[in-house]
Amino acid sequence: MNFAQAVAFLDDHMNLEAMVAGERATPPTFARITELLAALGDPQRQYPVIHLTGTNGKTSTGRLLGALLGAQQMSVGGYSSPHLEHVTERMTWNGAPISERAFADLMTTLSLLEPMLSERATWFELVTAAAFAWFADLAVDAAVVEVGLGGTWDATNAADGAVAVITNVGLDHQEFLGDTVEAIAAEKAGIIKQGATVVVGDADAPLGVITHAAEKAGADALLVRGTEFDVVANDIAVGGRVFSLRSPHATYEDVFLALHGAHQVDNAACAIVAAEAFFDRPLGDAVIAEACATVTSPGRLEVVSRHPVVLIDGSKNVAGAAAARVTVEAEFGPLRPRVLVVGMLAGKGKEATELVKALGGADADVVIACPAPSPRTVPAADVADAARAVGAPRVETAIDVEAALAHARALAGEDGIVIVAGSLYVAGAARAAVRH
C-alpha cells in the first residue's frame, strides 16, 4: 500500500469517535491486541518501556522523557496520541516522526496478517501494534509509550513498563473510565506491572487506590510527589520557566525549561524522576539542562505566531483549561485585545460552560466559538451560548477553525493575543492554518 491506501485501510476500522457514539458492541478486551502482537513476534518485549498515563500532561511528560534519554545518546522510540495534524506524529524515533513510506509498509504487513486473526482489530490497536513493531525493527534502546485511554484496557498495556508514570488523576472520559476519581485512578493504575517503579506526579490523587494497585501488581517502588520528590522552585523566565527539583537521587537547581506554564514544570518533575528510576541513578546537570532547554511540546501552550501572539493549547478538560488560563495571565497578561477561539468535543462529564469559564471566557475581549474538526464536536452555537453564560463581553461564531483564527487575528491586531483552546483537534487545525 502507499500512504493514502494505508490511511484508508486504518480508517475502515473502529475508532474512538464510533465508540463514543455508542457503536462499541463488545466490552474492552486484550484478546485482539494480544493476538495481533503475537503474530508480529511480540515486538513490545524486545526493548524496555516507560509507560505513561494520566488525565493531563502525558504527551509533554513523554516528550521530556524522550529528550532526557536522548541526551544520553540512547535510541528512543516514542508513542503518543492523539496526533495534532498527521497520524505519523504518533510514532517517533529520537523525536522525529515515522516516514509515510515506513508507515505504509507497516500497515501493509498488518493488512496481510488481519485475515488470520480471530477478530478484527480496532484503529488504535493497529497503530499501537505498528509502533511496537517499528521500534523493534529500529532496535531502540527504550520506548516511551503513552496510553491512549485510561490504562488497564488500553492496547499499549500489552507492554510491561519498567517504569509506570501517573502524571495526575482527574475527571475525563467518564463514559469509559468511571464517574469518580477513585474509579479513574484504578483504571490508570492498571499499567503498573510486577517489578515496576511507579512515579505519581499528583499528591492529591487517590493514593490509596494507586498504592493498592502497586502492591497487588508487585511493583518495586512507589515514588509520590510531595514525599519522595518535589518541585521546590518554579518561576517565569523569558521563553519558559526556571525550576528546582528535589528528586530521590539528587537536587537539580535553576533548570531552564523551554515550555510555557507552571504545570509544565510538574511534567518535567515526573519525567526526570521517571528517567532516574529507569537508570537507577541521578541524571547529571548537563543532561537535565540539555533536555529541558531543547524540548518542544506542539499544541501545548505553543506560541505559533507573533504580532499578534497566537497561542494554541489542546486543553480539553477543566483542569487543563484552568492551567492554560493561569499561564496566559502570568506570562501574557498585558497583551490586549485578548481573543479566545474555542471548539470542543462532546463527552460524558464535559460541560461547555465549565470549560469556557476555566479558559477565562469572561476575561476575554472576544470569544469566537467554532466546531472542532471531528464528528464528536460540540456545535459552535452551544459553545457560544456557554460563553454568554459565563459573561463573555462579546461572542461570535465561525464556520471552522481556520475562519475563526483568521477573524481572531484581525480582531487582535498587532499588539493583542489570540488563544486557541478546547481540544487537540482544534489546536491541530489552528497550527495548520497558521502555516498556510
Side-chain angles (χ1 to χ4, degrees):
M1 292 188 290
N2 60 31
F3 180 71
Q5 291 168 328
V7 171
F9 164 73
L10 258 184
D11 288 344
D12 189 42
H13 292 75
M14 178 71 75
N15 58 20
L16 182 61
E17 276 70 26
M19 291 179 182
V20 171
E23 296 178 22
R24 183 163 70 181
T26 59
T29 175
F30 259 163
R32 293 184 300 268
I33 188 65
T34 300
E35 187 179 16
L36 185 56
L37 289 171
L40 291 166
D42 282 323
Q44 78 281 9
R45 309 288 182 207
Q46 298 181 33
Y47 39 81
V49 169
I50 301 177
H51 205 179
L52 299 98
T53 188
T55 302
N56 292 308
K58 295 184 294 296
T59 299
S60 293
T61 302
R63 292 181 71 91
L64 281 156
L65 262 166
L68 288 164
L69 271 57
Q72 298 175 87
Q73 287 70 57
M74 292 187 72
S75 172
V76 185
Y79 184 57
S80 63
S81 61
H83 56 272
L84 277 173
E85 300 177 54
H86 204 277
V87 67
T88 56
E89 297 167 17
R90 293 177 179 240
M91 303 157 58
T92 63
W93 180 36
N94 296 334
I98 188 172
S99 69
E100 292 187 356
R101 179 67 266 163
F103 185 89
D105 288 345
L106 287 163
M107 287 302 146
T108 298
T109 298
L110 292 172
S111 72
L112 295 173
L113 285 174
E114 189 174 47
M116 307 174 194
L117 305 178
S118 56
E119 189 178 353
R120 201 163 192 255
T122 67
W123 192 101
F124 186 74
E125 288 164 346
L126 288 169
V127 177
T128 300
F132 284 145
W134 187 51
F135 299 154
D137 290 344
L138 294 170
V140 297
D141 297 317
V144 178
V145 177
E146 173 191 332
V147 304
L149 182 66
T152 301
W153 297 106
D154 191 76
T156 63
N157 208 23
D160 294 334
V163 180
V165 180
I166 302 174
T167 57
N168 47 58
V169 180
L171 294 173
D172 200 10
H173 293 298
Q174 291 165 250
E175 60 269 50
F176 295 116
L177 304 181
D179 290 329
T180 66
V181 290
E182 289 78 14
I184 292 173
E187 284 292 319
K188 295 185 185 304
I191 71 168
I192 300 172
K193 304 294 176 61
Q194 185 174 3
T197 297
V198 185
V199 178
V200 182
D202 181 5
D204 296 324
L207 296 179
V209 173
I210 296 170
T211 300
H212 174 72
E215 291 174 348
K216 184 177 179 181
D220 276 358
L222 181 64
L223 308 177
V224 180
R225 178 172 177 174
T227 306
E228 286 77 20
F229 70 98
D230 212 354
V231 174
V232 294
N234 184 351
D235 300 304
I236 297 173
V238 176
R241 311 289 299 186
V242 170
F243 70 94
S244 298
L245 171 69
R246 170 182 61 81
S247 79
H249 286 276
T251 297
Y252 306 100
E253 296 184 345
D254 299 326
V255 180
F256 172 70
L257 177 65
L259 298 175
H260 293 288
H263 61 287
Q264 291 288 17
V265 172
D266 301 334
N267 297 330
C270 280
I272 290 168
V273 172
E276 281 189 343
F278 183 77
F279 293 112
D280 194 25
R281 60 169 171 79
L283 300 182
D285 291 340
V287 166
I288 299 286
E290 177 185 341
C292 289
T294 59
V295 70
T296 61
S297 193
R300 280 80 179 174
L301 286 168
E302 180 187 16
V303 177
V304 294
S305 180
R306 298 188 182 275
H307 307 300
V309 168
V310 177
L311 184 70
I312 63 173
D313 189 67
S315 50
K316 58 186 175 60
N317 53 45
V318 170
R325 178 185 181 180
V326 168
T327 301
V328 169
E329 292 293 347
E331 302 183 27
F332 302 92
L335 299 178
R336 290 286 179 172
R338 182 183 301 173
V339 184
L340 180 61
V341 174
V342 187
M344 63 186 71
L345 302 186
K348 186 177 180 182
K350 292 187 177 183
E351 296 295 335
T353 302
E354 292 179 6
L355 191 64
V356 175
K357 181 179 180 181
L359 286 168
D363 299 320
D365 294 287
V366 185
V367 175
I368 302 176
C370 63
S374 165
R376 291 191 288 139
T377 188
V378 174
D382 292 353
V383 177
D385 288 343
R388 295 184 187 97
V390 303
R394 177 178 169 185
V395 180
E396 301 184 19
T397 60
I399 59 170
D400 56 26
V401 176
E402 186 173 3
L405 180 59
H407 186 43
R409 294 173 86 170
L411 292 174
E414 287 286 308
D415 301 321
I417 182 170
V418 176
I419 303 134
V420 184
S423 165
L424 279 168
Y425 289 85
V426 173
R431 208 165 182 265
V434 167
R435 282 202 313 278
H436 299 150

